Amino acid sequence: MNGIPESLSARLKSAFGELFASIEAGFCAIRPVTFRVNSHKTTAERVAQGMEECGIRIRLCDWYGDAFIAENVREDALRATPFYERGEIYLQSLSSMLPPVVLRPQAGENILDMTAAPGGKTTQLFSLSGGKALITACERDAVRYERLKFNLARQGATRVNAMKTDALVLDDALKFDKILLDAPCTGTGTISPASPVRYSDGYLAKCTALQKKLIGKALKLLKKGGLLLYSTCSVLPDENDRIAEHAVRLGAKPVAVELPVQTVRLPSSAETVCICPDALYEGFYLAMFTK
Ligand code: SAM
């Protein structure tokens, strides 16, 4: 694919050898738009019926009853629907719906979404817990924090405690049953003809330094016996397996990630999953830990 920096191709070839061709094919794919129904406000059935009335053809995702794949429209058409306006749907890639599903938020659990904006996974955690988990969502960037608050309000996730703060300065005395660290990353898994590549080795180095700090902090904030889910929308081992190994060096115990779907995978360490980008899924990485 044109526009992939040589430094990124070289890194991917060195990590994955001949599988680079599959990754590159995934970069070239134009994925359909996918969205999640906000079960806090409506039902999948109502949305399905309404979309049909708007002339939008959708099909249900086979592993998630609240997720749909739009067959004949792009984002703008979905954003123009009343469901979007009312916060009854959230445009989200299928891969990025996986971390909350794997984390299985339950009523009454104290959950931290460490790096939360724009809030796709925060609102999903809220919905999956039936609106009954105690969720704290941190975001350090002021503009992105406003977006997070807007999305929480629109989706009716009013019980989420949103904090405009650097998660690295949270008080270590706080302890959470579950933590989602959907880390800032280079985003190499999301490369597509519609999404320009913003990669450099320097940017990667900045991301990995921050990821190490954030995962170290997450382990401090995790209750003994709790669950930490680390995810990125990157396929680079530097910000995936290498960060998971760093967590293990800090005392984290890996827990197997079990996905509800068989996606095409790239090699990654035992217990973790690295999804290869393809015509339906963005490249994505998930690792889970306890302590
Ligand atoms: N989980 C989000 C979602 O599904 O909508 C996407 C999160 S995005 C991958 C990572 C976010 O982390 C960015 O909004 C970034 O500004 C934020 N971030 C980076 N460093 C942070 C820190 N130290 N504390 C809190 N937020 C941080």
Side-chain angles (χ1 to χ4, degrees):
M1 178 181 164
N2 288 340
I4 303 284
E6 186 45 44
S7 56
L8 176 57
S9 307
R11 204 172 274 277
L12 289 170
K13 281 177 192 160
S14 136
F16 297 114
E18 60 192 25
L19 289 174
F20 175 71
S22 309
I23 300 172
E24 207 182 19
F27 288 167
C28 295
I30 299 174
R31 283 174 275 278
V33 186
T34 56
F35 65 89
R36 180 172 55 75
V37 171
N38 177 6
S39 58
H40 188 59
K41 285 200 165 183
T42 186
T43 63
E45 290 73 22
R46 258 185 253 155
V47 170
Q49 194 186 338
M51 289 287 179
E52 204 180 297
E53 284 161 16
C54 294
I56 297 176
R57 267 205 333 269
I58 55 173
R59 80 186 143 93
L60 191 60
C61 166
D62 54 11
W63 54 268
Y64 191 5
D66 283 336
F68 285 98
I69 299 151
E71 310 254 32
N72 60 339
V73 294
R74 302 302 303 167
E75 283 89 346
D76 283 357
L78 288 168
R79 287 200 188 102
T81 63
F83 315 103
Y84 183 82
E85 196 54 43
R86 294 196 293 257
E88 293 175 358
I89 62 168
Y90 191 95
L91 305 195
Q92 192 173 350
S93 78
L94 293 181
S95 295
S96 94
M97 294 180 200
L98 286 165
V101 168
V102 170
L103 202 51
R104 293 171 48 125
Q106 303 294 311
E109 283 178 343
N110 203 4
I111 300 178
L112 173 64
D113 188 350
M114 258 180 113
T115 51
K121 298 183 192 68
T122 318
T123 51
Q124 191 185 355
L125 287 166
F126 183 78
S127 289
L128 284 171
S129 74
K132 291 189 175 139
L134 311 165
I135 300 174
T136 302
C138 293
E139 173 56 49
R140 75 170 178 187
D141 179 277
V143 174
R144 291 179 66 89
Y145 173 72
E146 288 307 318
R147 193 72 212 165
L148 169 68
K149 285 222 308 193
F150 175 83
N151 281 332
L152 290 174
R154 179 135 85 175
Q155 301 271 312
T158 42
R159 287 187 60 212
V160 172
N161 172 27
M163 295 172 75
K164 197 216 145 289
T165 189
D166 183 335
L168 295 173
V169 304
L170 288 175
D171 188 334
D172 287 344
L174 296 170
K175 293 289 175 241
F176 296 90
D177 300 302
K178 289 181 178 167
I179 298 180
L180 173 62
L181 172 51
D182 185 41
C185 71
T186 58
T188 60
T190 66
I191 292 173
S192 79
S195 166
V197 185
R198 282 178 38 228
Y199 177 85
S200 72
D201 284 345
Y203 182 39
L204 174 64
K206 272 194 191 155
C207 289
T208 57
L210 181 55
Q211 289 154 358
K212 281 185 186 160
K213 283 190 202 160
L214 284 166
I215 209 163
K217 184 69 181 183
L219 288 168
K220 287 187 182 152
L221 296 169
L222 189 66
K223 269 187 197 165
K224 204 170 158 42
L227 282 177
L228 161 64
L229 196 131
Y230 175 80
S231 58
T232 72
C233 56
S234 175
V235 289
L236 286 169
D238 309 65
E239 44 195 345
N240 293 341
D241 274 358
R242 298 297 89 74
I243 304 300
E245 287 157 12
H246 178 74
V248 170
R249 281 196 296 277
L250 295 176
K253 295 181 200 135
V255 174
V257 170
E258 281 168 25
L259 295 191
V261 56
Q262 279 303 321
T263 54
V264 181
R265 296 192 184 181
L266 292 168
S268 68
S269 59
E271 278 124 2
T272 72
V273 171
C274 188
I275 299 174
C276 183
D278 67 11
L280 194 53
Y281 288 87
E282 289 179 339
F284 217 83
Y285 178 81
L286 300 96
M288 195 149 65
F289 306 95
T290 187
K291 78 169 190 192

